[in-house]
């Protein structure tokens, strides 16, 4: 009797949600829709290329993976062409790189994923959030939602790796993944709404220091939920 061996890699659903939520965070920061679409295509192609490579379809995997890199390069090029001034570059380019790094963490050629790259990737997206706050580039509501989405993306990436390590990719884990990520998302949204309406904080009256503390509080809340 043969026994199925679970694949110890990050689970597909949580990984895909992590990348999608990170893309949504950049969209709330007014990143170019074309750039984000190219990045989504690039990440998808990169994932397919890695999958083909692992199945020993080396040439096809390399070609599809190269297409993914081209999609990412196109996304950065479109973003560069669309931003105005250094502030636009500082705000948006780190986030685009961050999404790519997050994808690399969750579609590893070898191993079971990289928590370090998940942190680096979502950290770069968080830099975009903070930079957008410093340059007052988006509304407070958009900024808080982008910050919350960054935390959810980080948590989803970590969860994908954790479930993959303990249960494997081959088992039915979708319900567990959805419940976990939905719970994190609800808590993050609750934190954002509470912060917006508590203490008489208005959309235009929040100082930078308060904003940073607010975003850090959201991060810590998600960390507590994760643990």
């Amino acid at each position: 009797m043969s026994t199925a061996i679970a694949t110890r890699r990050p689970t597909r659903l949580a990984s895909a949600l992590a990348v999608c939520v990170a893309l949504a965070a950049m969209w709330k920061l007014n990143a170019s829709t074309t750039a984000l679409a190219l990045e989504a295509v690039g990440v998808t192609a990169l994932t397919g290329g890695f999958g083909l490579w692992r199945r020993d379809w080396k040439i096809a995997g390399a070609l599809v993976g190269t297409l993914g890199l081209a999609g990412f390069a196109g996304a950065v090029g479109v973003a560069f062409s669309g931003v105005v001034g250094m502030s636009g570059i500082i705000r948006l380019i780190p986030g685009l790189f961050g999404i790519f790094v997050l994808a690399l963490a969750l579609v590893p050629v070898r191993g079971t994923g990289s928590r370090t790259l998940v942190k680096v990737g979502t950290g770069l997206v968080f830099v975009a959030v903070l930079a957008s706050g410093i340059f007052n580039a988006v509304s407070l509501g958009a900024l808080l939602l982008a910050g919350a989405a960054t935390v959810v993306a980080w948590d989803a990436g970590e969860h994908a790796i954790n479930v993959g390590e303990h249960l494997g990719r081959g088992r039915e884990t979708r319900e567990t993944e959805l419940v976990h990520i939905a719970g994190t998302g609800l808590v993050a949204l609750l934190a954002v709404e509470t912060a917006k309406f508590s203490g008489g904080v208005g959309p235009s009256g929040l100082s930078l220091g308060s904003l940073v503390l607010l975003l850090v509080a959201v991060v810590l809340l998600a960390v507590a939920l994760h643990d």
Side-chain angles (χ1 to χ4, degrees):
M1 182 176 67
S2 63
T3 302
I5 300 175
T7 302
R8 305 292 180 182
R9 282 196 292 273
T11 56
R12 292 187 179 89
L13 178 60
S15 297
L17 288 175
V19 173
C20 288
V21 173
L23 286 167
M26 291 304 299
W27 178 70
K28 293 300 294 183
L29 298 178
N30 289 337
S32 164
T33 303
T34 303
L36 294 178
L38 284 172
E39 180 133 29
V41 171
V43 168
T44 302
L46 191 68
T47 303
F50 281 174
L52 292 171
W53 185 276
R54 282 195 294 264
R55 290 171 175 78
D56 289 330
W57 293 12
K58 303 296 186 184
I59 295 177
L63 290 174
V64 176
T66 301
L67 179 62
L69 293 176
F72 171 67
V76 174
V78 169
F80 262 113
S81 66
V83 298
V84 178
M86 184 58 69
S87 63
I89 295 175
I90 296 173
R91 282 199 317 108
L92 300 178
I93 301 304
L96 294 177
F97 274 93
I99 293 171
F100 188 73
V101 172
L102 177 62
L104 288 178
L106 299 175
V107 289
V109 177
R110 297 180 184 278
T112 57
S114 171
R115 291 182 176 83
T116 299
L117 288 182
V118 169
K119 291 180 176 66
V120 171
T122 53
L124 287 171
V125 177
F126 198 69
V127 167
V129 175
L130 292 178
S132 295
I134 291 172
F135 293 113
N136 198 25
V138 296
S139 67
L140 177 61
L143 198 64
L144 294 177
L145 285 174
T150 305
V151 174
V152 174
W154 164 74
D155 181 73
E158 291 270 352
H159 190 63
I161 294 175
N162 290 338
V163 174
E165 285 180 345
H166 292 94
L167 301 178
R169 182 182 275 182
R171 296 189 181 186
E172 186 56 54
T173 59
R174 292 181 179 178
E175 184 176 353
T176 300
E177 295 172 65
L178 284 175
V179 169
H180 181 96
I181 296 170
T184 303
L186 287 174
V187 171
L189 286 175
L190 179 62
V192 169
E193 293 301 321
T194 301
K196 286 170 63 178
F197 290 102
S198 65
V201 175
S204 61
L206 195 64
S207 67
L208 177 60
S210 299
L211 174 63
V212 172
L213 289 175
L214 179 62
L215 293 177
V216 170
V218 173
V219 173
L220 293 177
L221 181 61
V223 170
L225 178 67
H226 179 270
D227 290 337

